[in-house]
Amino acid sequence: MAGVNTMEKKLAEYKCDTNEAICLKLVRFPEDVEDDSTTFHPEYSHQLFGDDEVAFGYKGLQIQLFYTAGNLGTVFKVKYASKVTEMFDCVESDDVEGKIREIIPAGFTCNSDDFISLLEKEANFKPFGTLLHTYTVHSEEAGELTYQIHKADITCPGFQEYHERLQTFLMWFIETASFIDADDDRWDFFLVFEKYNKDGETLYATVGYMTVYNYYVYPDKTRPRVSQMLILPPFQGEGHGAQLLEAVHRFYCSLPKVQDITAEDPSENYVKLRDYVLVKLCQGLPSFATDKLHLGFSPDMVKEAQDKLKINKKHARRVYEILRLRATDMSDEEKVREYRLEVKKRLFGPYRKNQRELAKMKKCLRPEELVSHMGQMDTQTQHEELEKSYQVVVEDYRRIIERLASQA
């Protein structure tokens, strides 16, 4: 038994956390390759390495996926200090290389010199598609940096291959990511690039992107639905997500055929970002003027948000609640109470639905079944959950209001 335990301990030394082992880089200069400060790591690797996010069979495992900053030319290497097969017979190591090859498209190199050659060709890389928006961000280290947002589609020469390289990042940073069928011409692609200088030339680095699918709405409209959005980790926290979402929103607002703009299974972070962008866009509309907010959520707000900004009723309601919170005097208890009731009225919707379902159940369930369902819908619990939901919502709204104030 002691021998088995000893063996287990020795084998455990050959387990590696794949989120730490995978090393990603966006390389601009040859010296970046050896500079550890330019390396970043995945948030997720479960889609390739299982829920434990572990690779077995290696000590000191390092999976290198380095990309040229603009065109995303790729070098892929697997390094390790030792392998379990060198020490133990009849023990198989995980096929790490095979798993990575499942997601990276053909055309990568495994040779450092070839990668440096790809890097030298970066000066030829230019952003795909049509320029939609240019903006600047101030950096303490580099001063004013310029960024561009472009709209592309699959017909742009070279874009399909570029997109196949770009979408590999989804696997590492979006928990439920999947690759799209980019051949479908109803996809729109929006790309963010940073302009930078290298040896007196202007080059472009990939910052992030968004994919949008255009659904048909009877009889003659479309509904663009955001499918994927990712700002690459070295650029996160600098406001690029908001710039991208606002530029995309303004683009679709300019198209008469667009009904409204939605998102597919949005994450919490995406919802917060969308709230911020939509409030920014709506705060200047007459129906959302401060003197109108205390009168409640109105049909005028719904119509103006829909007609001018392609915002649906559900999203317009959240915009109204954020702007009303900003306009509410928090030292006035009555106004605070009115606001709280207004928000809770919306939040109570799901509970009201439960009550309707319970009424239907009473007609068809046996007494013992009904008791179990009624236990799930206890009134006291509903009130507690409602208050909890309200506090979370208001806290999120306050952060958006603070961000708006900081940008003013």
Side-chain angles (χ1 to χ4, degrees), residues 5-227:
N5 288 339
T6 303
M7 174 67 82
E8 283 180 357
K9 284 179 182 176
K10 285 183 177 177
L11 289 175
E13 293 174 8
Y14 289 88
K15 288 183 177 179
C16 297
D17 180 336
T18 46
N19 288 342
E20 292 179 9
I22 297 167
C23 299
L24 306 167
K25 273 184 197 288
L26 295 165
V27 179
R28 300 186 185 192
F29 306 97
E31 54 268 30
D32 293 344
V33 173
E34 300 298 329
D35 182 357
D36 289 342
S37 71
T38 63
T39 302
F40 56 101
H41 302 275
E43 287 180 30
Y44 309 103
S45 54
H46 61 278
Q47 296 217 49
L48 291 186
F49 294 98
D51 291 343
D52 291 339
E53 298 180 320
V54 164
F56 171 74
Y58 307 87
K59 280 185 180 179
L61 178 65
Q62 191 177 85
I63 302 164
Q64 295 181 346
L65 276 169
F66 297 170
Y67 298 80
T68 60
N71 202 28
L72 304 179
T74 313
V75 63
F76 167 46
K77 293 183 181 182
V78 176
K79 297 181 175 182
Y80 50 86
S82 63
K83 201 172 180 179
V84 71
T85 51
E86 297 165 3
M87 296 293 293
F88 300 94
D89 294 331
C90 305
V91 179
E92 287 293 316
S93 58
D94 290 342
D95 181 12
V96 168
E97 187 170 327
K99 288 178 186 292
I100 298 293
R101 283 174 180 266
E102 288 175 18
I103 66 159
I104 58 172
F108 63 86
T109 181
C110 297
N111 181 282
S112 297
D113 291 337
D114 290 344
F115 181 67
I116 296 301
S117 295
L118 289 175
L119 197 58
E120 289 167 358
K121 296 174 185 172
E122 281 284 278
N124 301 324
F125 173 74
K126 296 293 181 281
F128 299 95
T130 309
L131 176 64
L132 290 185
H133 179 55
T134 301
Y135 63 98
T136 59
V137 173
H138 182 74
S139 161
E140 291 296 326
E141 294 175 6
E144 291 291 316
L145 298 173
T146 300
Y147 297 87
Q148 293 183 346
I149 297 173
H150 288 245
K151 178 188 175 291
D153 60 50
I154 212 67
T155 64
C156 297
F159 178 72
Q160 184 161 3
E161 295 78 10
Y162 166 84
H163 174 257
E164 286 174 359
R165 296 190 291 274
L166 177 58
Q167 70 177 351
T168 60
F169 286 98
L170 296 177
M171 286 295 162
W172 313 128
F173 299 103
I174 295 181
E175 192 171 6
T176 56
S178 59
F179 293 163
I180 64 171
D181 175 16
D183 290 332
D184 190 329
D185 63 8
R186 284 177 290 185
W187 283 108
D188 288 334
F189 301 86
F190 299 88
L191 308 156
V192 187
F193 297 97
E194 179 191 327
K195 292 174 73 172
Y196 70 99
N197 189 280
K198 182 179 178 183
D199 300 328
E201 292 185 279
T202 298
L203 276 70
Y204 294 86
T206 299
V207 171
Y209 81 120
M210 178 190 288
T211 58
V212 180
Y213 193 80
N214 291 287
Y215 283 87
Y216 167 71
V217 178
Y218 181 83
D220 61 350
K221 298 279 189 182
T222 61
R223 172 171 285 128
R225 180 182 291 179
V226 176
S227 174

Side-chain angles (χ1 to χ4, degrees), residues 241-289:
Q243 290 281 357
L244 175 57
L245 188 54
E246 184 175 345
V248 169
H249 215 94
R250 289 188 185 280
F251 168 75
Y252 286 119
C253 284
S254 70
L255 305 180
K257 292 281 187 183
V258 170
Q259 174 81 16
D260 55 27
I261 303 156
T262 62
E264 178 186 339
D265 191 21
S267 66
E268 280 186 33
N269 285 339
Y270 179 85
V271 170
K272 291 170 186 175
L273 182 66
R274 180 176 63 196
D275 283 343
Y276 167 75
V277 169
L278 297 190
V279 170
K280 193 176 168 192
L281 292 170
C282 283
Q283 62 185 348
L285 297 179
S287 61
F288 287 89

Side-chain angles (χ1 to χ4, degrees), residues 344-361:
K344 283 188 174 182
K345 187 166 67 177
R346 173 181 65 80
L347 294 174
F348 190 65
Y351 300 103
R352 195 182 294 120
K353 183 183 175 189
N354 282 344
Q355 288 174 336
R356 287 197 296 269
E357 288 173 355
L358 186 57
K360 290 178 188 174
M361 288 175 189

